[in-house]
């Protein structure tokens, strides 16, 4: 069988899964943006999962490349809000009934991505009905996050990371630690002695920076299109998204900037 562009990318199958339900012109835009975002998130999970494995194996340089790639992917995700924001309130209102109770809150890939990076909340697993999804998210909660593996690497390099941050219940978000912040202060104060850790720290900050831009873009797009209506999945809409923007992944890496 000859492999062609269409067959390699499985375009016949791919291009038939955009199936608007309302007959409204702009629903294809809505479906395409969200399906494309899920594909980008699949790639983010692929890259960050391998980056985490490399960090755990003390193989930092390839992890840096993978994390840099994810930041570029995040830029694509942020830009997608600009396209979706061309949908007016009237456009959205015309098709909103076709969404039923579906909501971006129910994106298991987005939730897994947050879990991988370290923003963990076991209660979020219950949002999903599918046993396979629940099992995958529960498995992710049981293992160290990308940031947990980074702190373990710091400890292996001789930095005094507290023992309670190295072995703990990884399903829970750890409270910010002044001792961990002090470790990062050492890295930032002596970059030539800890160059790969210094670069790793900046790649983590890049990831957080782009996630926060994505969250803010989501907030402003929702505000622009539906105002302060309740979200389709039952969330509070804009007020809920505003609270999410305040959540941090790597607090010590942000706090250390004040103390440097």
């Amino acid at each position: 069988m000859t492999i062609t562009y269409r067959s390699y990318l499985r375009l016949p199958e791919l291009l038939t899964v955009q199936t608007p339900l309302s007959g409204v012109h702009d629903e294809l835009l809505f479906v395409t943006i969200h399906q494309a975002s899920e594909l980008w998130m699949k790639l983010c999970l692929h890259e960050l999962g391998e980056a985490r494995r490399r960090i755990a194996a003390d193989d930092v340089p390839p992890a840096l490349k993978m994390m840099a790639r994810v930041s570029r992917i995040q830029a694509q995700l942020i830009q997608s809000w600009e396209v979706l924001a061309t949908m007016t309130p009237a456009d959205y209102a015309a098709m909103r009934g076709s969404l039923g109770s579906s909501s971006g809150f129910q994106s298991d890939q987005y939730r897994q991505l947050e879990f991988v990076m370290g923003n963990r909340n076991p209660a979020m697993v219950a949002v999903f009905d599918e046993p396979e999804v629940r099992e995958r998210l529960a498995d992710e909660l049981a293992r160290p996050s990308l940031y947990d593996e980074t702190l373990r690497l710091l400890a292996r390099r001789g930095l005094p990371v507290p023992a309670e941050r190295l072995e703990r219940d990884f399903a829970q978000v750890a409270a910010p630690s002044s001792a961990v912040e002090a470790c990062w202060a050492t890295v930032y104060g002596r970059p030539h002695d800890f160059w790969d850790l210094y670069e790793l720290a900046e790649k983590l900050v890049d990831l957080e920076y782009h996630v926060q831009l994505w969250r803010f873009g989501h907030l402003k797009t929702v505000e622009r299109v539906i105002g302060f209506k309740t979200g389709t999945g039952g969330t509070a809409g804009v007020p809920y998204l505003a609270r999410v923007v305040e959540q941090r992944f790597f607090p010590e890496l942000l706090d250390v900037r004040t103390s440097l």
Side-chain angles (χ1 to χ4, degrees):
M1 177 181 174
T2 301
I3 297 178
T4 68
Y5 179 82
R6 279 172 58 83
S7 67
Y8 178 70
L9 295 178
R10 298 181 62 183
L11 291 184
E13 299 97 321
L14 178 64
L15 297 179
T16 57
V17 296
Q18 293 76 47
T19 52
L21 301 178
S22 67
V24 174
H25 175 81
D26 277 23
E27 191 177 355
L28 181 60
L29 165 67
F30 190 85
V31 170
T32 301
I33 289 290
H34 286 84
Q35 287 188 346
S37 295
E38 290 291 336
L39 287 173
W40 283 125
M41 283 190 279
K42 180 178 181 178
L43 184 54
C44 286
L45 288 168
H46 175 72
E47 297 293 342
L48 291 183
E50 180 63 12
R52 174 171 55 183
R53 190 187 71 79
R54 296 286 186 141
I55 291 168
D58 288 342
D59 189 14
V60 176
L64 299 177
K65 177 184 176 181
M66 294 163 190
M67 293 165 71
R69 178 177 292 162
V70 171
S71 291
R72 302 287 78 75
I73 295 169
Q74 289 173 309
Q76 295 291 325
L77 288 165
I78 293 163
Q79 180 61 31
S80 70
W81 294 126
E82 295 289 326
V83 183
L84 189 59
T86 64
M87 176 180 283
T88 68
D91 296 329
Y92 182 71
M95 56 146 284
R96 187 178 189 185
S98 66
L99 299 178
S101 61
S102 65
S103 166
F105 187 75
Q106 300 159 349
S107 169
D108 55 281
Q109 286 202 122
Y110 175 73
R111 191 60 57 196
Q112 185 175 353
L113 193 56
E114 289 225 330
F115 285 179
V116 169
M117 289 179 61
N119 184 26
R120 298 183 163 199
N121 181 352
M124 291 299 177
V125 177
V127 170
F128 304 96
D129 296 327
E130 302 91 333
E132 178 275 328
V133 172
R134 287 192 179 201
E135 181 178 358
R136 173 160 42 84
L137 292 177
D139 287 346
E140 179 55 54
L141 285 174
R143 64 185 300 183
S145 70
L146 180 69
Y147 191 49
D148 289 319
E149 289 294 2
T150 297
L151 295 184
R152 289 178 162 194
L153 176 62
L154 264 62
R156 292 194 297 272
R157 296 292 181 84
L159 292 162
V161 179
E164 62 268 18
R165 287 297 295 268
L166 304 176
E167 297 296 337
R168 61 184 187 83
D169 179 1
F170 294 112
Q172 304 298 325
V173 175
S177 164
S178 58
V180 170
E181 183 183 335
C183 291
W184 285 122
T186 299
V187 171
Y188 275 92
R190 295 161 51 193
H192 295 294
D193 295 330
F194 299 102
W195 187 256
D196 60 343
L197 299 182
Y198 179 72
E199 285 203 293
L200 179 55
E202 285 299 287
K203 290 295 184 290
L204 288 168
V205 173
D206 281 345
L207 290 177
E208 172 138 355
Y209 173 76
H210 284 94
V211 168
Q212 297 293 30
L213 287 180
W214 183 89
R215 287 170 165 177
F216 186 73
H218 188 190
L219 163 67
K220 300 310 289 185
T221 302
V222 170
E223 183 181 65
R224 174 173 177 162
V225 175
I226 71 168
F228 286 80
K229 294 185 181 73
T230 301
T232 49
T235 70
V238 168
Y240 167 77
L241 295 173
R243 291 195 298 273
V244 169
V245 170
E246 298 299 319
Q247 296 172 353
R248 300 192 298 172
F249 292 91
F250 319 123
E252 294 92 355
L253 276 171
L254 298 179
D255 292 342
V256 74
R257 281 153 163 73
T258 303
S259 60
L260 288 175

